[in-house]
Amino acid sequence: MATQTIQRKDPSPVVRQPNRSSKLKQLGHSKALIIMCLPAIAFFVIFSYCPLPGTWIAFTNYNFRDGIFGSPFVGLRNFEFLVKSGQLWLLTRNTLLYNLAFIVIGNILQIALAVMLNEIRAKYFKKISQAIMFLPYFISVVLIGVIAFNVLNYDTGALNTLIKETGGDPIKIYSMAGIWPIIIIICQLWQSTGYGSIVYFAAIMGIDDSMFEAAAIDGATAWQRIRYIILPSLKPTFIILLLFAMGGIMRGNFGLFWNLVGNNATLFNTTDIIETSVYRMIMSQNNFTSSTAVGLYQSLFGFALVMTCNWIVRRINSDYALF
Amino acid sequence: MKRNLMTRATGIGLALALGSACMAGCSSDGGGGTGDSPETVTMLVLGDKPTNGRLENMLEKLNEKLTEQANATLDLFYVEWADWQTQYNVQLLSGDSTIDLITTATDWLYAWENSQKGAFLPLSEEMLQTNAPKTWEQVNKDGDWELCKLNDGQIYFIPEDNYTQWTNHGFFYRGDWAASAGIPDGTITKFEEFTAYFAWIKENKPEAYPWDASATSDAAATLTGYVQGHTDFQTIQQISAGNYYPYSTTEADPYTVSSWLMEGDSIIEAAQLAKEWNEMGVWREDSINYDGDTREEFYAGLTGTDQHHMQTFVTQIVSNMEAKQPGSDPKMFYWGQENGNYFRDIKTHGAMAVSANSSHPEKALEVYDLLRNDQEIYYLLNFGIEGTDYIITDDDKLGFPDGYDSSTDALGSNFWGGRMDEFEPDRTTEAADKWDLYASLDADAKDYPYTTLLFNKDAIESSLAAMSGVLAEYMPQLGRGKYEDPAAAVAEMRTKLQDAGYEDVRASLQADMDAWATEQGLK
């Protein structure tokens, strides 16, 4: 703790000089890096910053004739329907909890998978298992919905057929709201874990070999190597990914939820998220203002959360903060 | 180590970017063709763009004619069925100046909303008389321009007012099975008679579902079908909340806005019948999540019932069932058949508007006039090239050449904004008794009374959206009989609808209704 406090007061005296011209010089030194960043910067400027003024549409009664900034201002009226439908709390809760589960369980599994992959010595087995885990990422959520229905449905589903054949009573899974969070989380993890583990795997590959060599000389076991070298080295990656994920915590995976649950209101209590509910409410209303309002609500919430988490992280260890 | 300013800025930028993904449309301007070369008129149509090459061949021939007669060519822009409700409106919102003609409709394609929002060009009488004289004359003769005017007195679209079609919904069922079920003549005349029909199928046709209802086929069909035939409620078609039309009047009191969802016991009776059907196993347990093609199942004898409208019955069901289930004697029971509580199609169920951003609206109207009124051009656009896409049989019916398969060979030009009865020959694939069916429908049908009534939705949209959330929760469940106690569920739904703003919306609609009725001298 003490060293960190000192660091913050006197930041990197060797690299940085406290005057402006040196900052420009520094930019000059980083020319190559900046050029490499340009496509990404251009992408965000064009697709994320340029449309930002368009969010004004959320506060207007939009019409084609007057355009976005000429249409009459209506204050927060476009946000009203979420409150009036009486579902704002339920939707916010579901969306948050699902995303928390996805982030926490997802990251733990991804790290575990990356570490396990790293420990495998047989080259071909490693490559093949990596490819197999990667594949679900490329399967469309529409197909996942169809597969789930064919496995889980009451009349003809594989699971219930098996139960019936073995003399049991079939289960009405599509009427059991309580079980769906588990099904949805499993589907999401099945789809995303293999893909997500690549980042961690890459981070492990980047760990300085000399540390492993030193550990080997000291007689560290495989478990000790994981515990004292790999996991601590993954911490910055984990925190950065976590901070990024926080920004989208109010955004649900619409495709997955819609294809698994659809219009089955029996399950809404545990499966309805902001996206699916809003889609049902305004899809046929020709209503861009309300959908923009919802998008803005989600964005502001995500923005606030990223800022807060980043602030907390910076307080604990500024090296791990995004900014 | 602390990072420099640059990284900080990028970091904040990234966070902002992550947090913001609200996109808005950008408008663009484009110029149309001028001078001596033919001008291209682009028409927005709904449907999946065909890929069999037939459309392109037809357009080539059609464009020769159009170039000759109007120095113009036609191009079609497709809004495909996947997510069409969003895509259609986004397309109009984007203000794309390359689109000239827009297929629209007041009951299902937001014609009034889009007129009010300025997507369509107001069409002056002179403009129509000069550039689309034949269309002007025919619509004017029937006095139908009145159906296309906003409160400002301007015409915003051209109605498909000279085309007979019936899009009233109901059940398709099998006459042979109904007769076996002991229903006299195998003809169902009351909604409740389906109980006996379903029971017989359940008992005798183990491979078939009595009605393999799917998630996409109107989940509330059981409710609307029952209520329409047992009350005189008349749905107000202009006001939707999600997939539902919550407001209605009654025939006895046509100028008071109410709702069958909120008043009376008919919805409870309907939900109880649905519960009975659910317990009988009429549909599969998970029908709300089922996405199968029930039409194909009907053709294959795997479901005893299918749900859609009369037009589908006449043009597809009869010929397909006769070919694929010989002797099945397909029939249709339509909602409101018992008490004559159903409507003729409104004359703006199809319409054509000119885009407000069109760079050559006069030329667009000129082309439209030809598409609608020149028989040769009309046949090309709607039926294709004679000999390859269609044939005219000896008895003057429109048929298809040998080896033609409508599922892969369809022309798909989807011109639904100006079809004309005089250019529509009977098809060989249509029900032989089509005109008898139409005549019997026509005998009892009512005209929709509120065609010219415009509602101001500005203040009620958020309540309607909230109501649609409630309806999406309760209606599919009520319609599929999933509640233990339907009456309690209806009571719960009514409370939630009230909370969502039912009464505010009703009052607002009533005010518009009163003003309209007074203006029309009805009240």
Short mmCIF file of all heavy atoms in Angstrom, two decimals, chain B residues 34-68:
data_model
loop_
_atom_site.label_atom_id
_atom_site.label_comp_id
_atom_site.label_asym_id
_atom_site.label_seq_id
_atom_site.Cartn_x
_atom_site.Cartn_y
_atom_site.Cartn_z
N THR B 34 -32.49 12.69 -65.43
CA THR B 34 -33.22 13.69 -66.21
C THR B 34 -32.78 13.57 -67.66
O THR B 34 -31.92 12.78 -67.99
CB THR B 34 -32.92 15.12 -65.71
OG1 THR B 34 -31.52 15.24 -65.55
CG2 THR B 34 -33.63 15.41 -64.40
N GLY B 35 -33.34 14.39 -68.50
CA GLY B 35 -32.91 14.41 -69.88
C GLY B 35 -33.60 13.34 -70.71
O GLY B 35 -34.69 12.91 -70.40
N ASP B 36 -32.90 12.85 -71.71
CA ASP B 36 -33.53 11.95 -72.66
C ASP B 36 -33.51 10.48 -72.25
O ASP B 36 -34.36 9.71 -72.66
CB ASP B 36 -32.84 12.11 -74.03
CG ASP B 36 -33.14 13.48 -74.61
OD1 ASP B 36 -34.25 14.01 -74.34
OD2 ASP B 36 -32.26 14.02 -75.30
N SER B 37 -32.51 10.11 -71.45
CA SER B 37 -32.45 8.70 -71.07
C SER B 37 -33.60 8.40 -70.11
O SER B 37 -34.03 9.26 -69.36
CB SER B 37 -31.11 8.41 -70.40
OG SER B 37 -30.97 9.22 -69.27
N PRO B 38 -34.11 7.13 -70.17
CA PRO B 38 -35.27 6.80 -69.35
C PRO B 38 -35.00 7.00 -67.87
O PRO B 38 -33.91 6.70 -67.40
CB PRO B 38 -35.51 5.31 -69.65
CG PRO B 38 -34.62 4.95 -70.77
CD PRO B 38 -33.62 6.01 -70.96
N GLU B 39 -35.98 7.52 -67.14
CA GLU B 39 -35.81 7.71 -65.71
C GLU B 39 -36.22 6.44 -64.99
O GLU B 39 -37.17 5.78 -65.38
CB GLU B 39 -36.69 8.87 -65.23
CG GLU B 39 -36.28 10.19 -65.83
CD GLU B 39 -37.20 11.32 -65.39
OE1 GLU B 39 -37.56 11.35 -64.20
OE2 GLU B 39 -37.56 12.15 -66.24
N THR B 40 -35.48 6.12 -63.93
CA THR B 40 -35.81 4.90 -63.18
C THR B 40 -36.74 5.24 -62.02
O THR B 40 -36.43 6.10 -61.20
CB THR B 40 -34.53 4.25 -62.64
OG1 THR B 40 -33.71 3.95 -63.75
CG2 THR B 40 -34.86 2.97 -61.89
N VAL B 41 -37.88 4.57 -62.00
CA VAL B 41 -38.81 4.74 -60.89
C VAL B 41 -38.69 3.50 -60.01
O VAL B 41 -38.81 2.37 -60.47
CB VAL B 41 -40.25 4.88 -61.42
CG1 VAL B 41 -41.25 4.80 -60.29
CG2 VAL B 41 -40.40 6.19 -62.17
N THR B 42 -38.39 3.73 -58.73
CA THR B 42 -38.21 2.60 -57.81
C THR B 42 -39.44 2.46 -56.93
O THR B 42 -39.90 3.43 -56.33
CB THR B 42 -36.96 2.81 -56.95
OG1 THR B 42 -35.85 3.02 -57.82
CG2 THR B 42 -36.69 1.60 -56.08
N MET B 43 -39.95 1.24 -56.87
CA MET B 43 -41.16 0.98 -56.08
C MET B 43 -40.80 0.07 -54.91
O MET B 43 -40.21 -0.99 -55.10
CB MET B 43 -42.22 0.34 -56.96
CG MET B 43 -43.50 -0.02 -56.23
SD MET B 43 -44.88 -0.28 -57.37
CE MET B 43 -44.48 -1.88 -58.06
N LEU B 44 -41.17 0.50 -53.71
CA LEU B 44 -40.93 -0.33 -52.53
C LEU B 44 -42.07 -1.33 -52.39
O LEU B 44 -43.23 -0.94 -52.33
CB LEU B 44 -40.83 0.56 -51.29
CG LEU B 44 -40.51 -0.11 -49.96
CD1 LEU B 44 -39.77 0.88 -49.06
CD2 LEU B 44 -41.73 -0.63 -49.24
N VAL B 45 -41.73 -2.62 -52.38
CA VAL B 45 -42.76 -3.65 -52.19
C VAL B 45 -42.38 -4.51 -50.99
O VAL B 45 -41.22 -4.53 -50.57
CB VAL B 45 -42.90 -4.55 -53.44
CG1 VAL B 45 -43.39 -3.75 -54.63
CG2 VAL B 45 -41.60 -5.26 -53.76
N LEU B 46 -43.37 -5.20 -50.44
CA LEU B 46 -43.09 -6.09 -49.32
C LEU B 46 -43.06 -7.53 -49.79
O LEU B 46 -43.91 -7.94 -50.57
CB LEU B 46 -44.15 -5.93 -48.24
CG LEU B 46 -43.86 -4.71 -47.38
CD1 LEU B 46 -44.82 -3.61 -47.73
CD2 LEU B 46 -43.90 -5.08 -45.93
N GLY B 47 -42.09 -8.26 -49.31
CA GLY B 47 -42.01 -9.67 -49.66
C GLY B 47 -40.57 -10.07 -49.84
O GLY B 47 -39.68 -9.22 -49.90
N ASP B 48 -40.34 -11.38 -49.93
CA ASP B 48 -38.98 -11.86 -50.12
C ASP B 48 -38.60 -11.78 -51.59
O ASP B 48 -39.36 -12.20 -52.46
CB ASP B 48 -38.86 -13.30 -49.61
CG ASP B 48 -39.10 -13.35 -48.11
OD1 ASP B 48 -38.86 -12.32 -47.45
OD2 ASP B 48 -39.56 -14.39 -47.61
N LYS B 49 -37.47 -11.20 -51.85
CA LYS B 49 -37.04 -11.01 -53.23
C LYS B 49 -36.77 -12.37 -53.87
O LYS B 49 -35.97 -13.15 -53.37
CB LYS B 49 -35.77 -10.16 -53.26
CG LYS B 49 -35.38 -9.76 -54.66
CD LYS B 49 -34.26 -8.75 -54.67
CE LYS B 49 -34.06 -8.30 -56.12
NZ LYS B 49 -33.13 -7.22 -56.24
N PRO B 50 -37.46 -12.66 -54.98
CA PRO B 50 -37.26 -13.98 -55.61
C PRO B 50 -35.87 -14.08 -56.23
O PRO B 50 -35.28 -13.08 -56.65
CB PRO B 50 -38.35 -14.04 -56.67
CG PRO B 50 -38.75 -12.64 -56.92
CD PRO B 50 -38.41 -11.83 -55.71
N THR B 51 -35.36 -15.31 -56.28
CA THR B 51 -34.00 -15.49 -56.79
C THR B 51 -34.00 -16.44 -57.99
O THR B 51 -32.95 -16.91 -58.40
CB THR B 51 -33.10 -16.10 -55.71
OG1 THR B 51 -33.76 -17.26 -55.18
CG2 THR B 51 -32.82 -15.13 -54.59
N ASN B 52 -35.19 -16.71 -58.55
CA ASN B 52 -35.24 -17.69 -59.64
C ASN B 52 -35.05 -17.06 -61.02
O ASN B 52 -35.17 -17.73 -62.04
CB ASN B 52 -36.56 -18.46 -59.59
CG ASN B 52 -37.76 -17.52 -59.56
OD1 ASN B 52 -37.66 -16.38 -60.00
ND2 ASN B 52 -38.88 -17.98 -59.05
N GLY B 53 -34.78 -15.75 -61.07
CA GLY B 53 -34.50 -15.10 -62.34
C GLY B 53 -35.74 -14.68 -63.12
O GLY B 53 -35.64 -13.93 -64.09
N ARG B 54 -36.91 -15.13 -62.69
CA ARG B 54 -38.13 -14.82 -63.44
C ARG B 54 -38.48 -13.34 -63.35
O ARG B 54 -38.97 -12.73 -64.30
CB ARG B 54 -39.29 -15.66 -62.94
CG ARG B 54 -39.17 -17.11 -63.36
CD ARG B 54 -40.17 -17.99 -62.66
NE ARG B 54 -40.01 -19.38 -63.04
CZ ARG B 54 -40.75 -20.00 -63.97
NH1 ARG B 54 -41.73 -19.36 -64.57
NH2 ARG B 54 -40.54 -21.25 -64.26
N LEU B 55 -38.24 -12.77 -62.17
CA LEU B 55 -38.57 -11.35 -61.98
C LEU B 55 -37.75 -10.48 -62.93
O LEU B 55 -38.27 -9.57 -63.57
CB LEU B 55 -38.28 -10.96 -60.52
CG LEU B 55 -38.61 -9.52 -60.17
CD1 LEU B 55 -40.10 -9.37 -59.92
CD2 LEU B 55 -37.83 -9.05 -58.96
N GLU B 56 -36.45 -10.78 -63.02
CA GLU B 56 -35.55 -9.98 -63.86
C GLU B 56 -35.98 -10.08 -65.33
O GLU B 56 -36.01 -9.07 -66.05
CB GLU B 56 -34.10 -10.43 -63.70
CG GLU B 56 -33.46 -10.06 -62.36
CD GLU B 56 -33.94 -10.92 -61.19
OE1 GLU B 56 -34.63 -11.94 -61.43
OE2 GLU B 56 -33.64 -10.56 -60.03
N ASN B 57 -36.34 -11.30 -65.76
CA ASN B 57 -36.78 -11.46 -67.15
C ASN B 57 -38.05 -10.65 -67.42
O ASN B 57 -38.19 -10.02 -68.47
CB ASN B 57 -37.07 -12.94 -67.44
CG ASN B 57 -35.80 -13.76 -67.39
OD1 ASN B 57 -34.71 -13.20 -67.49
ND2 ASN B 57 -35.92 -15.06 -67.22
N MET B 58 -38.96 -10.69 -66.44
CA MET B 58 -40.19 -9.94 -66.60
C MET B 58 -39.90 -8.44 -66.66
O MET B 58 -40.40 -7.72 -67.54
CB MET B 58 -41.14 -10.26 -65.43
CG MET B 58 -42.41 -9.46 -65.38
SD MET B 58 -42.25 -7.84 -64.61
CE MET B 58 -42.21 -8.26 -62.89
N LEU B 59 -39.03 -7.98 -65.74
CA LEU B 59 -38.74 -6.54 -65.68
C LEU B 59 -38.13 -6.05 -66.99
O LEU B 59 -38.39 -4.94 -67.44
CB LEU B 59 -37.81 -6.23 -64.51
CG LEU B 59 -38.48 -6.12 -63.14
CD1 LEU B 59 -37.44 -5.89 -62.04
CD2 LEU B 59 -39.52 -4.98 -63.11
N GLU B 60 -37.31 -6.89 -67.59
CA GLU B 60 -36.69 -6.52 -68.85
C GLU B 60 -37.76 -6.20 -69.90
O GLU B 60 -37.71 -5.17 -70.57
CB GLU B 60 -35.80 -7.67 -69.32
CG GLU B 60 -34.71 -7.25 -70.27
CD GLU B 60 -33.81 -8.44 -70.57
OE1 GLU B 60 -33.22 -9.00 -69.61
OE2 GLU B 60 -33.72 -8.82 -71.74
N LYS B 61 -38.74 -7.12 -69.99
CA LYS B 61 -39.82 -6.90 -70.96
C LYS B 61 -40.69 -5.71 -70.57
O LYS B 61 -41.10 -4.89 -71.39
CB LYS B 61 -40.71 -8.14 -71.03
CG LYS B 61 -40.05 -9.30 -71.72
CD LYS B 61 -41.07 -10.13 -72.46
CE LYS B 61 -40.33 -11.03 -73.45
NZ LYS B 61 -41.14 -11.59 -74.46
N LEU B 62 -40.97 -5.64 -69.27
CA LEU B 62 -41.83 -4.56 -68.78
C LEU B 62 -41.18 -3.21 -69.05
O LEU B 62 -41.84 -2.26 -69.48
CB LEU B 62 -42.05 -4.74 -67.27
CG LEU B 62 -42.89 -3.68 -66.58
CD1 LEU B 62 -44.37 -3.97 -66.78
CD2 LEU B 62 -42.60 -3.61 -65.09
N ASN B 63 -39.88 -3.15 -68.82
CA ASN B 63 -39.19 -1.88 -68.98
C ASN B 63 -39.12 -1.43 -70.45
O ASN B 63 -39.07 -0.24 -70.72
CB ASN B 63 -37.80 -1.93 -68.34
CG ASN B 63 -37.91 -1.83 -66.83
OD1 ASN B 63 -38.88 -1.24 -66.33
ND2 ASN B 63 -36.97 -2.39 -66.11
N GLU B 64 -39.12 -2.41 -71.36
CA GLU B 64 -39.22 -2.02 -72.77
C GLU B 64 -40.51 -1.25 -73.01
O GLU B 64 -40.54 -0.20 -73.64
CB GLU B 64 -39.21 -3.27 -73.66
CG GLU B 64 -37.84 -3.85 -73.91
CD GLU B 64 -37.92 -5.21 -74.60
OE1 GLU B 64 -38.94 -5.47 -75.30
OE2 GLU B 64 -36.98 -6.01 -74.43
N LYS B 65 -41.59 -1.80 -72.45
CA LYS B 65 -42.91 -1.16 -72.63
C LYS B 65 -42.94 0.21 -71.96
O LYS B 65 -43.45 1.19 -72.52
CB LYS B 65 -44.01 -2.02 -72.00
CG LYS B 65 -44.10 -3.41 -72.54
CD LYS B 65 -45.00 -3.46 -73.75
CE LYS B 65 -44.85 -4.79 -74.47
NZ LYS B 65 -45.10 -4.71 -75.90
N LEU B 66 -42.39 0.25 -70.72
CA LEU B 66 -42.43 1.51 -69.98
C LEU B 66 -41.58 2.58 -70.66
O LEU B 66 -41.95 3.75 -70.70
CB LEU B 66 -41.96 1.30 -68.54
CG LEU B 66 -42.93 0.57 -67.61
CD1 LEU B 66 -42.28 0.33 -66.24
CD2 LEU B 66 -44.22 1.38 -67.42
N THR B 67 -40.45 2.16 -71.20
CA THR B 67 -39.59 3.12 -71.90
C THR B 67 -40.33 3.69 -73.10
O THR B 67 -40.32 4.90 -73.35
CB THR B 67 -38.29 2.44 -72.37
OG1 THR B 67 -37.75 1.72 -71.27
CG2 THR B 67 -37.28 3.45 -72.86
N GLU B 68 -40.99 2.78 -73.80
CA GLU B 68 -41.75 3.18 -74.98
C GLU B 68 -42.86 4.18 -74.62
O GLU B 68 -43.02 5.21 -75.26
CB GLU B 68 -42.42 1.92 -75.52
CG GLU B 68 -42.58 1.80 -77.01
CD GLU B 68 -43.05 0.37 -77.30
OE1 GLU B 68 -42.19 -0.54 -77.41
OE2 GLU B 68 -44.27 0.19 -77.34
#
